[in-house]
Amino acid sequence: MNNTVIWLNTKELKHHSSHLTCFCDVIRCLQSLRPYHGLLLLVESSELLNHLPPDASPALVRLVRMYSPLKSLQTLAADADLTVSQVFQLAGHLLYWARATVIYPLCESNVYVIAPDSPTHVSSPLIERFSEHFPGMNLLQV
């Protein structure tokens, strides 16, 4: 089986959506969005839900609760009982707010590699965050 190698540059990933400085940029991005794309939240879903106003869209709340980087937008729409069009609109808001970026859904057959210039020295905050998310594992040994 062929594996796809995907480089993750942690510096770019964190600020990937920050280039969407006006709503017209979001519109251009959404025009190239397809149902097979996915979302990668740039904050924890619990943090995003906690910072939503009390009158936030119930559709957005459902979307974030059903979120997984393994799901395509089409699957996410079905799981959240939304139309794909609604998911595209909500994704546009998340992109504009710099809370998400568009990705191809994560897949077990792909190989994900951290970019060589990523800060992975022993005292890097990435090492600690990785250990928090994956207890018992060390980023430098994976």
Side-chain angles (χ1 to χ4, degrees):
M1 179 182 292
N2 266 345
N3 288 335
T4 303
V5 176
I6 298 173
W7 289 88
L8 298 176
N9 186 325
T10 55
K11 288 182 269 184
E12 289 178 14
L13 188 61
K14 185 173 181 182
H15 301 288
H16 183 67
S17 295
S18 62
H19 69 280
L20 302 173
T21 55
C22 73
F23 202 68
C24 58
D25 291 336
V26 174
I27 298 298
R28 275 195 298 275
C29 180
L30 290 178
Q31 288 172 342
S32 62
L33 198 58
R34 299 292 177 259
Y36 55 79
H37 286 122
L39 286 177
L40 179 65
L41 291 181
L42 301 176
V43 295
E44 295 293 329
S45 56
S46 58
E47 179 184 338
L48 181 56
L49 289 170
N50 288 338
H51 286 91
L52 290 175
D55 62 345
S57 163
L60 178 61
V61 172
R62 279 199 318 274
L63 180 82
V64 173
R65 285 193 177 138
M66 299 307 300
Y67 161 78
S68 168
L70 306 174
K71 296 179 181 180
S72 69
L73 296 176
Q74 186 168 10
T75 301
L76 194 53
D79 291 351
D81 195 28
L82 300 168
T83 66
V84 174
S85 177
Q86 286 175 299
V87 170
F88 280 18
Q89 289 177 338
L90 294 170
H93 290 293
L94 293 171
L95 291 168
Y96 184 71
W97 298 332
R99 297 294 182 252
T101 191
V102 176
I103 63 168
Y104 290 105
L106 300 182
C107 175
E108 286 184 24
S109 62
N110 289 344
V111 177
Y112 298 92
V113 181
I114 296 175
D117 63 341
S118 293
T120 56
H121 50 82
V122 176
S123 60
S124 169
L126 292 178
I127 304 297
E128 185 178 328
R129 289 192 64 205
F130 183 88
S131 296
E132 289 170 4
H133 286 281
F134 305 101
M137 298 187 80
N138 184 321
L139 179 62
L140 298 175
Q141 295 174 343
V142 175

